[in-house]
Amino acid sequence: MIDLVALDMAGTTIDDHGSVYVALQRCVEETGATVATEDLQRWMGTDKTEAIGALMRLGGADPTTASVEAAFGRFHAILAELYREQPPVALPGVEDALRTLRDRGVRIALTTGFDDDVALPLLEALGWHSGVDGLLDAVVTTSDVTAGRPAPYLIHHAMELTGVTDVRRVIAAGDTVVDVQAATNAGVIAVAVLTGALAREDFEGQPYDHLLDSVADIPHLDAARA
């Protein structure tokens, strides 16, 4: 039986039309760095300030505290513009899957490499709320922890907020390699999903327990474990 499902946001539960990838690439390129596709994929899902600094360094720029902060500000601005042009929507089947899990008594948390300033307005726009009448039990952003993925803290804090103590009864799912690595580091059931930018082969050699087409398939996985 599963007590908690902790899910990534963009690319996992929410279709943001690739806006996070675009915003991250643009804000780094504006610093004069080049961004290789494989590097962008490697750093997706991590804390965005860490990602920006790493991508700047990999792309030939010299990141400083000031330049990373400036690029992070541009990331926020570019992302907001992209979201206005094409608002994010829930991925197909996700809301029904979350309701099914909640009806079974499974708690639902969202974890994200976004900070509060990006994550909370995004959820508000989707109408996703926490509480008895909401779709969620907890939301954990990089504003809440000392380190983002692949550290396990986002998942462990979601457990803390929802009162879940047994990592063996927790599923954590995401569409990036660092999502899987964070789940493994947290000691929970690691699920990779194929609704993001990565294909099945991109997860080869990664320590996932299950590879699913979508979060919409998780209720079947939970039922099989019941």
Side-chain angles (χ1 to χ4, degrees):
M1 180 65 183
I2 298 302
D3 292 330
L4 169 67
V5 172
L7 305 169
D8 174 53
M9 288 177 55
T12 300
T13 54
I14 300 168
D15 181 2
D16 80 329
H17 315 292
S19 295
V20 174
Y21 276 86
V22 173
L24 187 56
Q25 180 171 352
R26 284 186 188 172
C27 78
V28 173
E29 288 177 342
E30 286 180 2
T31 70
T34 57
V35 179
T37 300
E38 58 270 24
D39 291 333
L40 186 63
Q41 291 178 346
R42 185 181 310 125
W43 283 93
M44 277 298 296
T46 64
D47 175 84
K48 294 304 176 284
T49 54
E50 292 180 12
I52 289 167
L55 290 170
M56 287 175 64
R57 190 175 298 107
L58 288 166
D62 182 19
T64 64
T65 299
S67 64
V68 170
E69 288 180 353
F72 186 52
R74 285 292 298 145
F75 169 78
H76 274 270
I78 294 167
L79 189 61
E81 179 181 351
L82 292 171
Y83 281 171
R84 283 193 297 272
E85 293 172 355
Q86 193 171 21
V89 295
L91 281 161
V94 166
E95 291 184 345
D96 287 342
L98 299 188
R99 291 189 184 97
T100 296
L101 290 167
R102 292 204 80 189
D103 286 345
R104 294 177 188 169
V106 178
R107 278 149 278 188
I108 306 295
L110 294 186
T111 64
T112 179
F114 294 146
D115 63 2
D116 282 352
D117 289 341
V118 174
L120 300 185
L122 174 56
L123 295 177
E124 184 68 26
L126 288 167
W128 288 8
H129 304 291
S130 301
V132 175
D133 298 325
L135 200 62
L136 310 171
D137 294 287
V139 176
V140 185
T141 79
T142 53
S143 300
D144 301 313
V145 293
T146 57
R149 305 180 186 112
Y153 308 136
L154 290 167
I155 297 168
H156 285 165
H157 192 46
M159 292 177 63
E160 182 180 23
L161 291 175
T162 56
V164 173
T165 58
D166 189 345
V167 293
R168 297 168 299 179
R169 297 165 71 95
V170 177
I171 287 174
D175 65 299
T176 68
V177 168
V178 291
D179 289 319
V180 172
Q181 292 171 344
T184 302
N185 290 338
V188 304
I189 300 164
V191 174
V193 296
L194 299 175
T195 46
L198 302 188
R200 187 174 299 270
E201 55 268 23
D202 294 315
F203 288 102
E204 289 180 0
Q206 296 301 322
Y208 62 80
D209 296 297
H210 302 278
L211 180 62
L212 303 178
D213 289 332
S214 167
V215 163
D217 297 324
I218 289 180
H220 305 297
L221 185 63
D222 175 52
R225 295 179 62 86

